[in-house]
Amino acid sequence: MGTENPGRPGFPARPASLPFAAAPQTATPFSSTGPVAGSEPPSFRPTAMPPPPQASSLFSSSGPPVRPGVPGFRPAPPGTFNDPSVPPPQPPSANAPPAAGTFLRFPPPPFSSSGQVPPQQRAPFVGPPPIQQSGSQPPSFPSPPQPQTPFVQMGSPPQSISPAPMGSNVPPPTPTHQPPFPGYARMQQPPPAHSSFPPSQGNYGPPPPPVSSPFLPQPGGYAPSPAVAAPLGMQPPGSGPPIGGIQGLAEDFNSLTVQTRPGTMDPLFDSSELPRPLDGDVEPKNLDAMYPMNCHPRYLRLTTSAVPSSQSLASRWHLPLGAVVCPLAEPPEGEELSVVSFAPASVVRCRRCRTYVNPYMTFTEAGRKFRCNVCTLLNDVPSEYYAQLDATGKRVDLDQRPELTKGTVEFVAPAEYMVRPPMPPVYFFLIDVSISAVRSGMIQIVAETIKSCLDELPGFPRTQIGFATFDSTIHFYNMKSSLTQPQMLVVSDLDDVFVPLPDDLLVNLSESRSVVETFLDSLPSMFQDNANVESAFGPALKAVFMVMSQLGGKLLIFQNTLPSLGVGRLKLRGDDSRVYGTDKEHVLRLPEDPFYKQMAAEFSKFQISTNVYAFSDKYTDIASLGTLAKYTAGQVYYYPAFQSAIHGEKLRHELRRDLTRETAWEAVMRIRCAKGVRFTTYHGNFMLRSTDLLALPAVDCDKAFAMQLSLEETLLTTQTMYFQVALLYTASCGERRIRVHTMAVPVVTDLGEMYRLADTGAIVSLFSRLAIEKTLSQKLEDARTAVQLKIVKALKEYRNLYAVQHRLANRMIYPESLKFLMLYGLALCRSMALRGGFGDAPLDERCAAGHTMMVLPIKRLLKLLYPSLIRLDEYLLKVDLKSIERRLALTMENLDSRGLYIYDDGFRFILWFGKGVSPEIARNLLGADFAAELSKATLSEHDNEMSRGLMRVLEKFRNADRAYYQLCYLVRQGEQPREGFLLLTNLVEDQMGGNNGYSDWMLQISRQVQQ
Ligand SMILES: [Zn+2]
């Protein structure tokens, strides 16, 4: 419970009009830690503010140093940042912000480290001797014995018939199925539902009566749906009676055939029957009928849409209990968000718990009162918000009130939600110009891309922009609009960094447009002969902070050389393989110098978000640099060994996306829930500013955050739990906004329901974050083991629920909702961030992958973990036009040597040419390169229909998600070692090196579950 303050006797009403000035700390509905800006932009310049606390200190946590003599902005005292939604005065101990400069560590990952589950080793070989597998893929390891253990996928118990489509959409039991277990031969004709689930088993009582109208706002309070009535209550209205009896069971008990293949050893069982997420992420829809006014799952997903009613029940749910939030997710084209303004009145909220008005609040007493759905307090309806109720108790103005009918709305925040005028969008670029940066061609691409985006930077005409470059010295650029050319100002004293002309280094883009363009045109040539090999990155960072701290904004860093001079210099590390497997291993993945964490904390406090673009072909310490992004809601982009001729397009697209996507500035986010439940840990890129307030200096549609929750009370008495995400931010247009997502979910008394409503995507998303965090304090192997252990525990619990009654003693069972969990768990363990040890991933690449995965929204993360593999040649030859839509399981077995395949993980394409691919295809697509080493070939469009067809396909795949740009890598079958590290390692279903294949992994889990 983030916002309840039980100790406090009632909340005073929010002050009607708070001044922008510093209200007492934490007493302001919303105050920013950032500097207090004096006047409206574009003259966001110091006017009548008091002088800076200190004129020339080079770096202090008490405020940004400003050049002596320049009237500076007085930064607000650190830590006054408060959520809009936080009620006025709070006990200092509860929500007190951290002391200045304090670096808040995230809570330790909750994985148990004492798991005794053996690490992923091959099962001991006890069966018959291995037989060479027929086919193209020689097994390189002896195979475990063929299990006699069928994998039975088990759905929900019969009462929990899912409202899946009936009829033809129900997959009939595969005709080839062997009866998976003798006593249960006719799955198609199971015993009647109730008889197979005696009430004493699994806590299932008789199904409650159907609820005809699950949600009906009415005076006197919201009538919650019966908790366990969910299965029936969830029937979409008009869809007829629930699927029951025989048909229901046929659905629930899909099974996997387990057969030995005559003459072969592998797979252990018919691997074609294993579940695979070939449709990618599927957003949960199971609450749509019950709570149609919930926000869309693209914004908020729970790991299970059923909140356990008691702590004892929660303790039996071994998977993480929590949520994944993507507050600014992009709606599909054409879908507009409702923007609601109550001006001149304030935003309607519960006066006790500060929940924003939402569809689940109920109006009563002829419309004069409303009852808060979260804390049940009866509030007065503000007079300007009053409306009569109709005969059914609904407000008569409901159709003009999106906030009462939609789970997602955006409120225009009045003045009391700000402590300074909304900041303008600010973009500051810090660019490495040392010799390696120059040689890579990065500078040119960056300069060109920024220039091409100038018209599209959000926030015209208020947008501000600035540049600095560095090698062994720091160079600023005076961009004053009265100049015809920028002036370069060099700072060479790295120990006492001084910022010359701070007022003219960050300028209004529209006023200084021509100076900015001149600068960008000349930047690449300015340093083309630079032979400087040093990097004064740390001092440059401090200098830029001095320039930016007055306003905040986005800092984009383009870094190519390991910081070598001044504060924050780093050294080569990570090349000692002996550290791996010891308790020192994780240190390599932590920032080496506390400077980076301290800087990040300062950045966050002054509303600066940092994106790090790293390009080096050598070790560049992403672990340290990434920290800057981690705590400032930023992002790490890593282009190892960047060369503009090869990687230019990727950088161009991704930088463009970064610069032009809609961005929320000086934001804070809080997720509330009703009494009895509390969010305990948060995972992603942000700084935690009080117990539950996420500080996000800049945030966009490509960032997701995960959080875990726990029950505060032994027993929940409510039948519905509500969650509300509130993101308070400044829009690029200059308006202060509050985006609110509201979701209702049932509280259940039954573990089976929790499983039935589980969301594998959200679970995997939370799992990944926890596992990556674990690699920062423990060995990689421990992190992988923890993933496996969680899965095993969950399946064990599920097994205990159902195995006995179904006589499934020797079988592995798992709920339909989690059928992909095992595979995603395996893919996670084999992902770049977690795989293997020293030799399996370069340290920087591993750290960069970890940073990337921490921010990915669910859909993108799942695609990275289990990418799509599609056969292309048949489509290009027009033999089979549908083949382009068929995703294939990620195994070598699916690669026909006559075929051409594309592997797409959302970050890159790998185009695999089989050895026997028709010469016509190769020639058409590759032109003169068709016979060359494909590592040297590049893909470009040739003048033939097939080549154009391929380009269209790539374009289509790229357009499906534009957050990252997939560069296309070409590889020919057998071209080693390239084929290995580009593709084969990523075919997660195959056993590779020391990695489990899918079959082994399932077998291992199955054994552990049954132990
Ligand atoms: Zn309330």
Side-chain angles (χ1 to χ4, degrees), residues 122 208 464:
R122 299 282 306 180
Q464 304 226 5

Short mmCIF file of all heavy atoms in Angstrom, two decimals, residues 122 208 464:
data_model
loop_
_atom_site.label_atom_id
_atom_site.label_comp_id
_atom_site.label_asym_id
_atom_site.label_seq_id
_atom_site.Cartn_x
_atom_site.Cartn_y
_atom_site.Cartn_z
N ARG A 122 23.81 -32.04 -17.42
CA ARG A 122 23.15 -33.14 -18.10
C ARG A 122 22.74 -34.16 -17.07
O ARG A 122 23.44 -34.42 -16.11
CB ARG A 122 24.12 -33.78 -19.08
CG ARG A 122 24.61 -32.82 -20.13
CD ARG A 122 23.62 -32.61 -21.20
NE ARG A 122 23.19 -33.88 -21.78
CZ ARG A 122 22.32 -33.95 -22.75
NH1 ARG A 122 21.76 -32.88 -23.21
NH2 ARG A 122 21.98 -35.11 -23.24
N PRO A 208 -19.80 -21.00 -8.21
CA PRO A 208 -20.81 -20.04 -7.80
C PRO A 208 -21.72 -19.72 -8.98
O PRO A 208 -21.37 -19.99 -10.12
CB PRO A 208 -19.99 -18.82 -7.41
CG PRO A 208 -18.66 -19.02 -8.02
CD PRO A 208 -18.50 -20.45 -8.35
N GLN A 464 15.25 23.18 -26.46
CA GLN A 464 16.60 23.71 -26.27
C GLN A 464 17.62 22.64 -26.64
O GLN A 464 17.36 21.44 -26.51
CB GLN A 464 16.79 24.11 -24.82
CG GLN A 464 15.74 25.11 -24.36
CD GLN A 464 16.33 26.26 -23.59
OE1 GLN A 464 17.55 26.38 -23.45
NE2 GLN A 464 15.47 27.12 -23.09
#
